[in-house]
Amino acid sequence: MQSLTVPTGDRNPNGYAAADVLEALQAPHGSRRFSFRYELLDSTNATVEPEIFGVLSGEVSNNHLADIKRTARFNILETGTIDYLSDRIRPHARLHLYPYTVDDFVEWPLGVFLLSTPVRHIDRFGRITRDVAAYDQLQVFTDEVTTDRYTVAAGANVVAAVTTLLGGIPASIEPSTATLVTAKEWDPGTTKLKIINELLGMINYESLSFDEDGLAIVQAYRSPTERAVEYTYATDQSGLMVPEADQELDLFAVPNQWTLVVTEPDQPVLTSTYTNNDPGSPTSTVRRARTISDFRIEVEAVDQATLDAKVARLAFEASQVYEALEFSTAVMPIHSGNDVIHIQFDPLAINHKYAEQTWTLPLRAGATMTHRARRVVTV
Amino acid sequence: MPTSDSDPAEITLGLVGIWIHDPEDPEGTAVNYVYGAAAREHVVDAGGQGTLYAGRTFQVMEYGEHEEETLSINIQVPHGSTYASDLEALDVLARAKRTLWIRDNRGRSFAGTIAAYKVQDQKWGAAVAMTFGRVHYTVEEVAA
């Protein structure tokens, strides 16, 4: 989640404190004011135009479990200022604060997007527009494939190997001492994103993502249970959740035993099993009086400890699907990927911590933002 | 930035009726209609979307940067020597399909476009009605 204490400078010209920003977001006095800015960038993310005015509407979505996590749609008036093959757009949501002078605002970036070049449409008034599907910079690593067999040598530092593949783009990288036990190879034609994510998966890191400013993020996976709540949605006087919501609860096919096996040449077979036998868990082997297995072979892990961590992560993530909540709120541009939020939704007697899986934010004042969050359950 | 040839001066502009001109050529296009001053309607809509949230009894309004502003005008063109030319000038403006500037004797002044242009024949002349919808207009600042 982006910080309520947004940086000073251009994004907070009057230096508003987090409490002021929170109050303006939650609208205790009944009204809010938003506007949106669309910044045109070149292929290196350098600003070409601080604000372009041809974007008629837009929408940004984030799916933390997808390969390309952040996507957008823009309806753009054709003005000839955009090079669709190389330019990028970074939308910003601007929250205006009292007394609403020109500099009374805070602004959050919403991602850097590469633009598709769709069909142009002309209406009966001669106005030419494009409905542009846009993708974050993960698209770059999906489009580029290896032309030869790609090898990472045994003993190589995994994060260093990922850093090499990123090719010097601006990145926030959490270091690790983990190294490859055996050399790892990928066939020609493999996408760079697949290689990067497989390497990151070996050391229990999150898959590659990009933040709202276009910075590549390489970081270790941390269970939502270990992470602090970043924002609370509640059905109270400062609530911003609309009354309608859907709660999914499907326990039927949830496994209660997970086994991962590693069979790599030049490496002993590694096996790790995690069994949910907790009587307090409704899906445990004890409560259901039977075992529902999830068995996976050819998993990659550099050592037994990593495999144990991976099977524990798999068990945790598999159990997260057992409760999902789809809800809608006012425009909340503070969200990022995999946010940990607390939801207190009285009409469904919900009062729990969730990990946000997807959200969609229409770039329009007064719009409704949709969310899907999964409840964090320790099995 | 362009500069002016003379010193800036402050004066109070006293207008009668409605003045309309092309902002690109004020001197050459300005027209003035003096009758119908009491039959105008000025509407400003700040937009906004109201939403009801769980836990709150009343809606929360959210506003964007956009506004809509219209000025409904009624002009009376009496019979006389300028009747035909006055009506023709209005007809030209109604078909102009471009941004015009309107001012009136109540201090209103903004750029807009004409819509819903209507002429009703009367015993005394013609009653002309139109709606002037405000549009975005970047005013070029002139350095003193």
Side-chain angles (χ1 to χ4, degrees):
Chain A
M1 180 169 284
Q2 300 194 64
S3 173
L4 288 172
T5 315
V6 293
T8 55
D10 290 348
R11 290 181 179 161
N12 187 1
N14 282 344
Y16 282 100
D20 300 323
V21 176
L22 185 62
E23 180 172 310
L25 265 181
Q26 295 184 334
H29 302 128
S31 65
R32 313 193 309 171
R33 196 181 292 189
F34 266 102
S35 62
F36 298 88
R37 177 169 73 91
Y38 300 89
E39 183 182 6
L40 188 65
L41 311 176
D42 66 14
S43 59
T44 65
N45 291 356
T47 301
V48 176
E49 293 281 348
E51 185 164 16
I52 54 172
F53 296 97
V55 182
L56 303 176
S57 63
E59 180 179 275
V60 174
S61 297
N62 191 82
N63 181 349
H64 189 67
L65 302 182
D67 280 345
I68 296 177
K69 303 185 187 313
R70 199 177 281 252
T71 58
R73 295 199 72 86
F74 302 110
N75 185 240
I76 300 177
L77 188 67
E78 187 83 330
T79 58
T81 57
I82 300 173
D83 181 347
Y84 285 92
L85 294 177
S86 61
D87 285 348
R88 301 167 179 188
I89 287 179
R90 176 162 50 201
H92 302 258
R94 185 174 284 191
L95 173 67
H96 298 266
L97 290 87
Y98 185 82
Y100 306 118
T101 65
V102 173
D103 287 335
D104 289 313
F105 69 85
V106 291
E107 189 177 76
W108 291 276
L110 298 172
V112 172
F113 295 99
L114 283 69
L115 310 171
S116 67
T117 52
V119 175
R120 292 189 300 164
H121 172 74
I122 183 165
D123 65 17
R124 64 194 180 98
F125 303 109
R127 194 172 72 158
I128 301 171
T129 56
R130 291 178 188 253
D131 272 319
V132 178
Y135 309 93
D136 75 9
Q137 292 170 91
L138 289 166
Q139 183 70 43
V140 173
F141 296 92
T142 302
D143 290 341
E144 188 172 354
V145 300
T146 55
T147 53
D148 297 309
R149 181 166 290 274
Y150 191 82
T151 304
V152 179
N157 180 282
V158 176
V159 169
V162 168
T163 305
T164 301
L165 284 161
L166 289 176
I169 63 169
S172 169
I173 298 174
E174 182 177 335
S176 166
T177 57
T179 56
L180 284 183
V181 176
T182 59
K184 185 74 184 140
E185 289 189 345
W186 288 268
D187 291 334
T190 307
T191 68
K192 276 194 170 180
L193 186 62
K194 180 177 170 63
I195 297 172
I196 289 169
N197 284 342
E198 286 186 7
L199 285 167
L200 293 174
M202 287 178 195
I203 56 173
N204 203 32
Y205 267 44
E206 289 186 359
S207 57
L208 180 65
S209 63
F210 282 83
D211 74 2
E212 298 73 19
D213 261 325
L215 196 68
I217 303 296
V218 175
Q219 62 185 8
Y221 171 80
R222 290 174 183 83
S223 161
T225 55
E226 301 168 7
R227 294 166 51 201
V229 169
E230 296 164 280
Y231 187 81
T232 297
Y233 284 110
T235 48
D236 58 17
Q237 288 296 303
S238 61
L240 294 169
M241 299 175 74
V242 302
E244 297 87 7
D246 292 314
Q247 183 185 29
E248 292 175 19
L249 189 63
D250 184 3
L251 304 179
F252 184 75
V254 175
N256 49 23
Q257 185 176 76
W258 297 264
T259 300
L260 297 182
V261 177
V262 179
T263 58
E264 286 283 326
D266 307 325
Q267 183 182 351
V269 174
L270 298 176
T271 303
S272 185
T273 298
Y274 187 103
T275 303
N276 174 11
N277 53 14
D278 178 4
S281 166
T283 60
S284 67
T285 52
V286 180
R287 292 278 292 273
R288 299 200 69 172
R290 64 192 181 100
T291 300
I292 302 171
S293 300
D294 181 348
F295 184 88
R296 302 186 189 188
I297 204 165
E298 294 182 307
V299 172
E300 290 151 351
V302 292
D303 53 28
Q304 184 67 47
T306 301
L307 190 64
D308 291 344
K310 288 190 77 167
V311 77
R313 174 180 172 179
L314 175 64
F316 179 81
E317 289 183 342
S319 298
Q320 279 186 306
V321 300
Y322 105 141
E323 184 188 325
L325 185 66
E326 292 189 359
F327 63 101
S328 302
T329 67
V331 167
M332 295 292 279
I334 57 176
H335 283 281
S336 189
N338 199 28
D339 295 335
V340 175
I341 54 178
H342 188 95
I343 299 175
Q344 181 218 321
F345 192 68
D346 293 343
L348 289 175
I350 289 170
N351 191 8
H352 300 294
K353 187 179 182 183
Y354 288 82
E356 181 141 46
Q357 181 186 339
T358 66
W359 52 257
T360 296
L361 172 63
L363 306 180
R364 177 172 56 82
T368 298
M369 181 176 182
T370 55
H371 308 252
R372 180 182 173 88
R374 300 189 301 180
R375 186 181 167 190
V376 176
V377 177
T378 304
V379 293
Chain B
M1 183 179 289
T3 56
S4 64
D5 295 330
S6 58
D7 293 334
E10 285 190 20
I11 60 166
T12 301
L13 186 62
L15 297 177
V16 177
I18 283 280
W19 286 79
I20 302 172
H21 66 80
D22 181 342
E24 300 299 319
D25 179 20
E27 285 183 53
T29 60
V31 290
N32 177 216
Y33 296 91
V34 298
Y35 303 115
R40 294 182 209 127
E41 184 178 66
H42 186 198
V43 177
V44 176
D45 184 356
Q49 172 79 44
T51 306
L52 290 166
Y53 297 112
R56 304 199 203 207
T57 306
F58 299 106
Q59 67 179 351
V60 172
M61 288 298 295
E62 191 160 305
Y63 294 95
E65 61 196 316
H66 303 125
E67 296 178 5
E68 289 183 8
E69 185 170 352
T70 58
L71 181 63
S72 299
I73 305 164
N74 290 283
I75 296 171
Q76 293 159 3
V77 183
H79 288 307
S81 60
T82 61
Y83 174 78
S85 60
D86 286 348
L87 271 186
E88 186 183 349
L90 283 171
D91 189 77
V92 168
L93 290 174
R95 298 173 196 272
K97 298 180 182 177
R98 66 173 183 270
T99 300
L100 302 169
W101 201 281
I102 191 165
R103 287 189 170 86
D104 76 358
N105 58 317
R106 306 241 174 157
R108 302 179 184 106
S109 173
F110 57 84
T113 55
I114 290 175
Y117 178 77
K118 184 172 72 174
V119 180
Q120 279 187 317
D121 294 346
Q122 303 288 343
K123 286 181 180 176
W124 45 263
V128 179
M130 69 178 86
T131 300
F132 206 78
R134 185 166 188 172
V135 297
H136 171 84
Y137 192 88
T138 303
V139 177
E140 199 171 358
E141 291 185 17
V142 178

